[in-house]
Amino acid sequence: MQGRVSECKCDTPNGASAPSEDGQVYKGERTCQAEEQVYRDGHICDEDGLQTMKNTSSSSSPSPTSSSSSTSLESLSHSSDDPPLLPRPFPDEVLEHVLAFVTSHKDRNSVSLVCKAWLKADRWSRKNVFIGNCYSCSPNILTRRFPHVKSLTLKGRPRFSDFNLVPPHWGANIQPWLQELVLKDPYPFLEELRLKRMTITDEGLTLIAHRFPNFRVLVLTFCDGFSTDGLATIVRNCRNLSELDLQECLIDDRGGEWLSSFPETCTTLTSLNITSLSSEVRFADLERLVAKCSQLQKLKLSRNITLDQLRRLLLLRGPSLKELGIGSFIQDVNGAGMDQLENMFARCRNMRALSGFWEVVPLYLPLIYPICHYLRELNLSESPITSSEFMKLISQCHSLQCLLVQDLVEDRGLEAVAETCQDLRELRVIPCDFTDGGRSLVTEKGMVAISRGCKELRYILYFCNQMTNAAMEEFASNCPKMTHFRLCIMRPWERDYVTNDPMDEGFGAIVRTCSGLKRLSVSGLLTDRAFELIGKHAKEMRSLSLAFVGDSGCAMEYLMQGCESLKKLEIRDCPFGDAGLLSGIPRFYQMRCLWMSACDLSLMACRALAKQMPLLNVEMIVEDDRAISSRLQRSSHEGNGKMEDEQVRVDKLYFYRTVAGPRTDTPPFVYTL
């Protein structure tokens, strides 16, 4: 990321001293300690977490590094008897130019910690900002801290909104951010906006189209609130548009006419993803657009695009495409059309990623065999392909590194993957039936087979009905480089079906062996012993998801005491109570957020947490519970006070770090403590 600004002007009185990041005081400067702490690495509340907020009271002792970095600044106010200030090794402009080549978030963070001058240089040279929680700061703070930003990424609703645990209209609307960016003179050159789990309306899209003349990238993932009319405004007015990506969005689809709004002069498009559209598009408009955009490398189509239409598009841009999302693979094609389509695929030698296949006729699958050797990613998560056809297809994909499939491939399909894809790095196996009574068609045998054949595996998401500790131990032994292990046993409280033991030792083997583990999702019957092992060994883990596990609140205490790098914790349907929640108070400022639902929390504990941690937004989601709503209208000192609070149970708790204070757009069912 990159940025530059003059002094951060906060609400400090004129002429007052303000603490710096390291606790030092710089006279006559008005700085925002909390903001600089959060923004110095350029990704505000990022997915992997933030720097720890430090106590900047007068009693805090600066580190040797921070003391030395502040000396040159404070020497400006020293007496004439002090040694002269040494000149800087190079001008600020040179430093800013050098920092422009530092793109890693962690490296930028380290750079901004060197000294005050480098922090300011980072501020001026930063062009990309990632905000992992849109409520962790305010739009005004962003524009003050980084005025030269060209690319902004925002995330909104908690991840559990994907499972309908967050009520509709919870918040995360982009409109306040857009209004603030429009008001700031430097921000008309915003070029890229990427949103995830946020609400953006047609009004917001219109604001983008008319106020950011150089706008060129719009990526919306799991977003809602807009229609194809808003998209028409974007494509009509953003003359330099290079990327339009709509991934799993809820769109008010008013027809495919919006594609005709692309101007005749539009030739800059490099990426187009319209998989979220439900209605048929005007193929003539799509064909004309693809023909004009000679730099197009990514094309993901909706399920309404036929095989014949796909053939015509490949005839135009097939050889230049690197990523292709295919619509339906079922339409009748005559013999000549089949031969031509196969030839078109054979010409796509730059193809590296393939997805789609919403509906499949097995007869047509051999058409894509010519490009399988070039593929690095294959996404069949929407494709109902059976195991026998999948085995034929995967036998052609020797260079595959990322694979997403439904459990229809069964264990034998995964065994074929293990035999063919030795360089596989990421595997996701999702159920074809997500209903409560649905059963997965894969078992621990498929996972073990993958571990034996794919030694380079780093990431696995695996839905199954049964698992054993022995299988997990073998998996960990075969794949010690794992960084993301997400196992979902679809039946809650499931034991090792062979020994009838809890799944403690299996997950213990994962955290013991995979020392670089960053993300863990657990399921099955786990006792507190499993969490003791996780707390002891998972020192690098940053994200943890728990569902239907644990014996008592001691499990959470083990996690809070042991997982030093934990930034994000998600818990649902676990017997964790007040003691477990409050045990994390010494750690919560180091974390990004925590979600707890259907646990054993009281209003008293939630109030205590909010009181002791003022830099956290502690929110409760209350749906159709008049008792708790009535109690929340009164303070803890009214009525019987703590006794009443202790009896009131909290169903959903969500808290996160912020420098912006309580949000102002809370709906009636959200209470901020």
Side-chain angles (χ1 to χ4, degrees):
M1 287 198 331
Q2 306 157 7
R4 167 177 182 169
V5 284
S6 57
E7 287 297 320
C8 178
K9 299 178 181 178
C10 302
D11 297 329
T12 317
N14 291 336
S17 299
S20 71
E21 299 303 320
D22 52 20
Q24 299 297 311
V25 173
Y26 300 101
K27 299 178 182 179
E29 293 186 311
R30 294 181 295 173
T31 59
C32 180
Q33 178 267 340
E35 292 172 27
E36 291 180 353
Q37 178 67 41
V38 173
Y39 296 119
R40 53 164 59 138
D41 64 351
H43 55 297
I44 309 165
C45 287
D46 72 349
E47 190 81 18
D48 295 329
L50 297 171
Q51 289 284 311
T52 305
M53 283 194 176
K54 301 177 183 178
N55 185 347
T56 58
S57 66
S58 59
S59 62
S60 54
S61 57
S63 64
T65 302
S66 60
S67 297
S68 60
S69 67
S70 65
T71 301
S72 60
L73 289 172
E74 290 198 322
S75 64
L76 294 174
S77 60
H78 285 182
S79 68
S80 58
D81 295 333
D82 292 331
L85 182 66
L86 295 176
R88 292 183 180 178
F90 40 74
D92 291 343
E93 292 77 5
V94 176
L95 176 59
E96 292 164 16
H97 180 74
V98 172
L99 293 185
F101 294 94
V102 183
T103 57
S104 165
H105 291 320
K106 289 186 177 180
D107 291 342
R108 294 298 295 235
N109 177 49
S110 300
V111 163
S112 64
L113 287 170
V114 171
C115 63
K116 193 78 169 181
W118 284 45
L119 179 65
K120 293 177 183 177
D122 172 56
R123 184 181 190 182
W124 280 104
S125 60
R126 193 159 297 193
K127 298 294 187 292
N128 305 288
V129 172
F130 176 94
I131 303 177
N133 180 353
C134 64
Y135 292 116
S136 65
C137 70
S138 68
N140 180 262
I141 291 175
L142 170 68
T143 55
R144 283 205 312 262
R145 182 66 181 91
F146 298 119
H148 286 180
V149 169
K150 290 186 177 181
S151 174
L152 176 62
T153 301
L154 278 171
K155 291 188 177 183
R157 293 180 288 272
R159 191 181 68 90
F160 273 149
S161 63
D162 299 345
F163 305 98
N164 299 319
L165 293 180
V166 178
H169 312 295
W170 175 84
N173 197 312
I174 188 61
Q175 197 66 19
W177 291 85
L178 293 177
Q179 291 172 348
E180 176 68 22
L181 295 179
V182 165
L183 291 174
K184 296 295 180 181
D185 292 338
Y187 273 83
F189 53 69
L190 184 74
E191 297 178 359
E192 303 177 9
L193 183 63
R194 294 174 173 84
L195 306 178
K196 187 172 184 180
R197 298 191 185 97
M198 295 197 70
T199 296
I200 182 169
T201 63
D202 288 346
E203 180 185 358
L205 293 175
T206 301
L207 204 59
I208 293 172
H210 291 296
R211 299 304 295 270
F212 304 120
N214 297 321
F215 194 79
R216 59 186 183 86
V217 173
L218 179 63
V219 179
L220 305 178
T221 306
F222 295 109
C223 292
D224 58 15
F226 63 100
S227 72
T228 48
D229 291 344
L231 296 177
T233 305
I234 285 286
V235 302
R236 184 185 304 116
N237 294 279
C238 299
R239 301 284 174 160
N240 300 316
L241 195 67
S242 63
E243 187 172 349
L244 180 61
D245 196 321
L246 312 172
Q247 185 69 33
E248 298 192 54
C249 294
L250 294 177
I251 305 175
D252 181 5
D253 195 339
R254 300 174 183 175
E257 297 82 2
W258 67 278
L259 279 175
S260 63
S261 299
F262 276 96
E264 290 296 328
T265 57
C266 177
T267 60
T268 57
L269 207 62
T270 61
S271 175
L272 179 64
N273 181 353
I274 56 174
T275 56
S276 297
L277 297 176
S278 56
S279 65
E280 292 188 13
V281 300
R282 286 182 178 177
F283 182 72
D285 296 332
L286 178 60
E287 187 176 29
R288 183 167 54 252
L289 177 64
V290 171
K292 291 185 300 181
C293 299
S294 59
Q295 303 176 60
L296 193 66
Q297 297 182 352
K298 176 181 177 180
L299 179 62
K300 289 192 171 185
L301 305 169
S302 65
R303 64 191 311 159
N304 297 308
I305 300 299
T306 66
L307 270 178
D308 184 62
Q309 292 172 338
L310 175 64
R311 176 186 61 81
R312 293 166 62 179
L313 294 175
L314 290 178
L315 184 63
L316 294 170
R317 289 285 165 251
S320 64
L321 289 178
K322 294 183 178 180
E323 188 170 349
L324 176 64
I326 295 175
S328 296
F329 224 61
I330 60 173
Q331 293 81 10
D332 290 333
V333 181
N334 57 35
M338 289 272 287
D339 293 340
Q340 190 176 22
L341 187 57
E342 186 174 10
N343 290 334
M344 290 300 101
F345 275 115
R347 294 173 55 201
C348 300
R349 297 180 180 178
N350 290 318
M351 193 73 66
R352 295 297 179 266
L354 200 60
S355 61
F357 301 95
W358 304 81
E359 298 173 278
V360 178
V361 171
L363 175 65
Y364 299 149
L365 280 176
L367 295 176
I368 66 173
Y369 286 0
I371 63 171
C372 286
H373 176 71
Y374 304 108
L375 294 180
R376 300 294 183 270
E377 178 179 341
L378 180 61
N379 185 347
L380 299 175
S381 60
E382 302 289 346
S383 177
I385 185 173
T386 61
S387 58
S388 57
E389 297 302 326
F390 173 76
M391 292 170 66
K392 298 175 185 177
L393 174 62
I394 204 65
S395 66
Q396 310 291 321
C397 304
H398 297 279
S399 302
L400 213 59
Q401 294 184 350
C402 178
L403 175 64
L404 292 81
V405 292
Q406 294 187 7
D407 58 4
L408 291 171
V409 302
E410 304 179 23
D411 288 338
R412 60 177 185 153
L414 297 179
E415 291 170 357
V417 172
E419 293 175 1
T420 307
C421 310
Q422 278 79 28
D423 198 33
L424 193 70
R425 308 297 176 90
E426 178 177 348
L427 173 66
R428 303 188 188 211
V429 182
I430 63 175
C432 60
D433 183 6
F434 265 106
T435 61
D436 292 339
R439 289 184 56 84
S440 176
L441 301 178
V442 296
T443 68
E444 80 286 354
K445 296 178 182 178
M447 194 174 83
V448 170
I450 288 291
S451 72
R452 292 171 178 171
C454 308
K455 302 287 188 177
E456 298 299 318
L457 197 67
R458 305 290 200 279
Y459 186 120
I460 188 168
L461 170 63
Y462 200 81
F463 283 80
C464 61
N465 279 317
Q466 63 186 41
M467 185 56 60
T468 67
N469 288 308
M472 295 182 67
E473 290 170 359
E474 182 175 355
F475 182 91
S477 176
N478 292 334
C479 300
K481 300 178 183 178
M482 291 295 299
T483 60
H484 294 67
F485 185 85
R486 304 170 63 189
L487 176 65
C488 180
I489 304 175
M490 297 183 65
R491 290 181 294 198
W493 317 109
E494 191 72 9
R495 295 174 177 267
D496 181 325
Y497 77 98
V498 174
T499 65
N500 205 36
D501 291 332
M503 299 299 301
D504 299 345
E505 294 305 319
F507 282 101
I510 295 293
V511 295
R512 273 195 304 265
T513 308
C514 306
S515 58
L517 195 68
K518 304 294 185 184
R519 184 175 182 181
L520 177 65
S521 298
V522 304
S523 56
L525 181 64
L526 296 181
T527 68
D528 292 344
R529 168 63 179 165
F531 296 97
E532 183 180 4
L533 294 173
I534 293 173
K536 180 179 180 180
H537 298 285
K539 299 301 182 182
E540 300 296 323
M541 185 177 63
R542 307 180 73 85
S543 178
L544 176 62
S545 298
L546 312 175
F548 303 97
V549 294
D551 283 337
S552 66
C554 292
M556 193 168 177
E557 295 179 27
Y558 288 133
L559 297 176
M560 292 296 99
Q561 293 170 6
C563 300
E564 301 170 353
S565 303
L566 188 63
K567 305 299 179 186
K568 184 177 180 181
L569 180 58
E570 301 170 331
I571 305 172
R572 60 167 297 189
D573 296 277
C574 296
F576 302 160
D578 296 350
L581 175 66
L582 298 179
S583 69
I585 284 181
R587 291 289 316 283
F588 286 153
Y589 274 155
Q590 302 175 31
M591 295 176 58
R592 180 165 78 87
C593 63
L594 181 144
W595 169 281
M596 295 182 72
S597 60
C599 296
D600 190 22
L601 300 179
S602 72
L603 178 58
M604 180 184 70
C606 296
R607 286 193 194 271
L609 173 65
K611 183 177 180 180
Q612 295 186 52
M613 313 221 74
L615 294 182
L616 296 180
N617 268 4
V618 182
E619 297 181 356
M620 295 168 42
I621 299 176
V622 180
E623 301 176 85
D624 301 325
D625 192 332
R626 296 183 179 180
I628 190 172
S629 299
S630 174
R631 181 59 198 160
L632 284 169
Q633 301 301 323
R634 297 176 289 162
S635 71
S636 59
H637 303 292
E638 297 182 50
N640 291 327
K642 292 185 178 181
M643 184 177 298
E644 289 187 28
D645 286 352
E646 189 174 6
Q647 295 174 352
V648 174
R649 312 319 291 172
V650 175
D651 183 54
K652 295 177 182 177
L653 174 72
Y654 178 54
F655 71 73
Y656 49 90
R657 283 180 50 187
T658 180
V659 294
R663 59 188 180 112
T664 58
D665 62 346
T666 51
F669 54 81
V670 174
Y671 294 86
T672 302
L673 297 178

